[in-house]
Amino acid sequence: MRSRNARNRQPIDRRGSGCGDDCCAVFSGARRCRETADSTRGNRPRRRSGVNALSVPIGGGDFEHGGEASRRLKALLQRSGADPSAVRRAVIATYEAEMNVIIHARCGRMDAAIDADRITVEISDEGPGIPDVSRALTEGWSTAPEKARQLGFGAGLGLPNIRRMSDTFQLDTRIGQGTRLRFAIRVSPTSPEGYFRHHLRLRAERCTSCMACVIACPTTAMRVRDGSPSVLAHLCVDCAECVRACRPKAIEVEVGEPVAADGRIAVLPAELRTQFGRCAEHCGIDDAVSSSFAARAMWTDGWTETLRDAEREAASENAPVISAQCSAIADLVATRFPSLVANLSPFRSPIEAAAFEAGAGSLVAVMCPAQRAAAQNADPTGLIACVAIDEVIRKVRPAMPKAGNAGEDGEAGTDRGRDGVFVAWGARHVLEILDRLEDGRLDPCRVLELYLCDGGCRGSPLLAENPWISSRRASRRPNGDISNDAKAVRRESPVAPRAALRLDPDMAVAMRKFAEIDRTTKILPGRDCAQCGAPDCSTYAEDIVLGRAPAGQCPYREVKS
């Protein structure tokens, strides 16, 4: 993910899409355009005192950078610890207003001020003005040009949405001069959540300081300093991206001490069946598990299917439901998108539900740290043991038949009903989809089935087989093999949002730190090379300000603390 600085280094050609003047040729020129607009109307740029302010220029016709102002406001609010629902309302309203400037005006500006109890946003533009305000506030009425409609904008929902999201709403428009929109949203600080724990095992003696884990982490939780990896537990969501990236195996899934499986129930993910070729299901994989692990196999695919049915039904009351199929998604939402926790599935993940059913004394094969945490949640007494799936494969493989294509073609599986389910995987894509959902920019669907691993759970770094080949094998599996005994299990309590992005328990102090981070980021070179041990320059600036790292670790610039 590239930082804001990285983007700013690129020359951005706005000629022909902004106000038409040379001052709109580059990004820095957009600021001059903003000042020109103010002087044209006889107004001096509004001065905001303190650190609780944000001002972002908006270029008319610049669809490429639409959403930049709302993204920067969102980052400031999340870092300051504003409650998630207020953040979401502010971001949706700001995005709508920002796009109105881009669609209708030559240029404009967003000014935001954050006080202890409210967010106040003012969007001003130099545009044609609104001739009929009452009609503009009616849903479905639009004067958007054809170009905007072809890009999917101009549905006539902008101003009605802004008014609906706001606690106060003021609109001042003058024909031929422009429009000034001001709205406010009440806000309260969140209560910081105290304790976080990840399920990664770090082996410093194997670390080569390649920084691959630092770059791969989707939540910027990894650091490598002094030749040793470390994890910011409050940011970690227990996905397996760092495990996948670390070739020297300095990061592993923490499963605890090896245990004897004699007489236990072994809860096994269905993905294990596809790791030994097509013949696995027809050549006695259950027997191979029993003989090599001395445990009775309990497969999770029944819980996977019953969870899908239960979530589709739950979506009739609160759509979209963010599925619990991937155990890491709930933590990701609670950490990066706390305003979406109400959309999280009310059910446990398949591995957690199966482990809950198997009960104390069972052995659970896990494919990522998040599944390890899920198994732990299923039995807080700690009597459920875990084993990494790659260890299971190593033990089971010798017991599998060496030959035999019995049933190789299998029986084609039938369509198990995916209407209204939006399936996506891969950390980068999942982050973008959740970002769009939080900002109100995602097309409607009933269930969002998201997986952080590429290829879904079949893409776990602990599995050896190609995920696409595994998927093809799984699609040939007859539906009749799925257990009918499984049922969806509800969570005992809903997932709570984390205050992980908050910079300080005191909202005012958090905003001062945010400003200091912004200042420090600007004096760093913007290479985002990760050589300092943080994933990018802005994250390193945050580490410096919060005392996590000393200044001077950037090999390209010395920063005074």
Side-chain angles (χ1 to χ4, degrees), residues 18-33:
C19 66
D21 297 331
D22 288 340
C23 63
C24 285
V26 295
F27 184 81
S28 59
R31 295 191 179 90
R32 295 197 295 274
C33 175

Side-chain angles (χ1 to χ4, degrees), residues 233-287:
H234 64 287
L235 293 177
C236 181
V237 298
D238 267 342
C239 70
E241 291 302 305
C242 57
V243 178
R244 184 196 316 280
C246 186
R247 292 189 176 183
K249 305 297 182 187
I251 306 174
E252 300 175 333
V253 179
E254 180 193 61
V255 292
E257 297 298 322
V259 295
D262 296 354
R264 291 173 181 259
I265 294 175
V267 177
L268 303 173
E271 288 77 9
L272 177 64
R273 281 194 174 106
T274 61
Q275 301 300 304
F276 307 99
R278 290 183 189 175
C279 64
E281 295 174 38
H282 307 277
C283 294
I285 187 173
D286 285 35
D287 293 339

Side-chain angles (χ1 to χ4, degrees), residues 107-232:
C107 54
R109 185 183 70 218
M110 179 208 73
D111 291 299
I114 305 169
D115 300 316
D117 60 350
R118 70 174 49 206
I119 308 162
T120 304
V121 179
E122 183 176 292
I123 307 282
S124 56
D125 70 58
E126 187 174 315
I130 304 173
D132 189 333
V133 173
S134 63
R135 293 187 71 183
L137 291 171
T138 304
E139 287 192 5
W141 189 81
S142 174
T143 59
E146 184 60 26
K147 177 185 176 183
R149 293 176 185 272
Q150 288 176 354
L151 293 172
F153 300 102
L157 299 175
L159 285 175
N161 260 345
I162 298 169
R163 187 164 65 168
R164 186 165 51 249
M165 293 290 163
S166 308
D167 294 316
T168 65
F169 177 92
Q170 298 175 354
L171 184 64
D172 176 23
T173 183
R174 298 179 185 180
I175 301 301
Q177 296 185 35
T179 299
R180 189 182 299 273
L181 170 63
R182 185 184 178 91
F183 58 88
I185 294 169
R186 285 189 292 273
V187 62
S188 57
T190 53
S191 300
E193 192 176 330
Y195 177 73
F196 303 98
R197 185 185 187 283
H198 62 78
H199 294 82
L200 296 168
R201 183 184 181 193
L202 308 178
R203 308 187 67 169
E205 73 277 9
R206 296 182 179 178
C207 182
T208 61
S209 297
C210 67
M211 306 297 171
C213 61
V214 172
I215 297 170
C217 179
T219 59
T220 67
M222 290 300 304
R223 301 288 188 275
V224 174
R225 294 202 170 101
D226 299 326
S228 177
S230 61
V231 182
L232 298 178

Side-chain angles (χ1 to χ4, degrees), residues 328-371:
I329 292 296
D331 276 346
L332 176 67
V333 169
T335 302
R336 291 283 301 270
F337 308 95
S339 68
L340 298 179
V341 292
N343 292 88
L344 284 172
S345 170
F347 301 99
R348 301 186 186 215
S349 66
I351 195 80
E352 185 176 351
F356 182 79
E357 181 68 23
S362 57
L363 180 70
V364 181
V366 298
M367 298 188 290
C368 64
Q371 288 195 346

Side-chain angles (χ1 to χ4, degrees), residues 9 42 88 103 127 148 186 192 201 219 227 236 256 303 312 322 343 345 375 379 390 400 457 476 556:
R9 292 197 307 276
R88 189 178 190 194
I103 292 170
R186 285 189 292 273
R201 183 184 181 193
T219 59
C236 181
W303 281 270
R312 278 197 292 271
I322 301 174
N343 292 88
S345 170
D379 177 33
D390 53 350
M400 291 297 294
C457 286
R476 291 169 176 266
Y556 300 101

